[in-house]
């Protein structure tokens, strides 16, 4: 007996939910290891990486759920690695890290990666130098919108050491959630250690 399409969808959804329930979401604080790096968190965040489709080496932390605040932390991207998982093996639009990128290209790499996360009208502004653990990098503002039109605000940071990119991105709805957690996200980025 064949199942109808809707019954198949329900069965697959139930199976996916039960599999996701087996994966634990951990509460993390203090020193947090992400690949080759350590970020010190000034408050507890939830590590939802196990239930996301992020590429290996990209962690996702949140306080209230990924739609309300997301802190992406990479642990040292190598040449050819992505911040966002490409949709297919043949897909060429999701940007890959290149060790020879200049500052503007690094900012564009993050912008295009945020676009690949599914945000709309992604813009970057105000690039400024940062010095983290003795390494120079760049931090910049990000503005975007969800598909439904919710305005998103955030900032990104790229620090390169030994041709590896340590990228951090904070995204949150512009009203309420952004001002509530931006200081904690910035403190995490400032704390990057190798």
């Amino acid at each position: 007996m064949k199942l109808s399409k809707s019954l198949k969808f329900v069965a697959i959804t139930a199976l996916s939910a039960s599999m996701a329930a087996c994966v634990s979401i951990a509460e993390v604080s203090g020193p947090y290891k992400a690949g080759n790096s350590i970020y010190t968190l000034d408050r507890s965040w939830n590590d939802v990486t196990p239930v996301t489709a992020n590429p290996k080496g990209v962690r996702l932390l949140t306080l209230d759920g990924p739609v309300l605040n997301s802190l992406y932390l990479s642990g040292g991207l190598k040449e050819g690695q992505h911040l966002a998982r490409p949709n297919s093996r043949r897909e060429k639009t999701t940007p890959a890290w290149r060790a020879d990128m200049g500052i503007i290209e690094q900012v564009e790499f993050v912008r295009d990666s945020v676009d690949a996360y599914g945000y709309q009208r992604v813009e970057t502004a105000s690039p400024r130098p940062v010095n983290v653990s003795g390494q120079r990098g760049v931090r910049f503002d990000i503005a975007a919108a969800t598909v439904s039109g919710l305005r998103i605000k955030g900032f990104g940071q790229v620090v390169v050491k030994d041709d590896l990119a340590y990228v951090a991105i904070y995204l949150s709805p512009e009203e309420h959630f952004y001002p509530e957690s931006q200081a904690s996200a910035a403190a995490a980025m400032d704390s990057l250690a190798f």
Side-chain angles (χ1 to χ4, degrees), residues 5 24 54 57 65 81 89-90 92 102 125 128 132 140 148 156 189:
K5 284 185 178 181
S24 64
N54 287 334
Q81 287 186 305
R89 291 180 190 197
R90 292 185 215 161
K92 303 286 187 216
R128 51 207 176 269
V132 181
F140 46 91
S148 61
M189 290 184 191

Side-chain angles (χ1 to χ4, degrees), residues 95-106:
W97 172 253
R98 288 188 349 265
D100 66 347
M101 287 182 178
I103 301 258
I104 299 301
E105 291 172 304
Q106 293 173 10

Side-chain angles (χ1 to χ4, degrees), residues 143-157:
T146 63
V147 174
S148 61
L150 180 65
R151 290 191 321 238
I152 300 296
K153 190 172 178 181
F155 43 90
Q157 174 177 289

Side-chain angles (χ1 to χ4, degrees), residues 83-131:
L83 278 173
R85 185 175 302 283
N87 290 327
S88 73
R89 291 180 190 197
R90 292 185 215 161
E91 192 248 308
K92 303 286 187 216
T93 58
T94 302
W97 172 253
R98 288 188 349 265
D100 66 347
M101 287 182 178
I103 301 258
I104 299 301
E105 291 172 304
Q106 293 173 10
V107 172
E108 290 170 348
F109 168 71
V110 171
R111 181 200 62 210
D112 295 346
S113 295
V114 171
D115 184 72
Y117 289 147
Y119 290 94
Q120 310 292 310
R121 301 185 305 276
V122 182
E123 298 177 2
T124 56
S126 305
R128 51 207 176 269
V130 292
N131 192 317

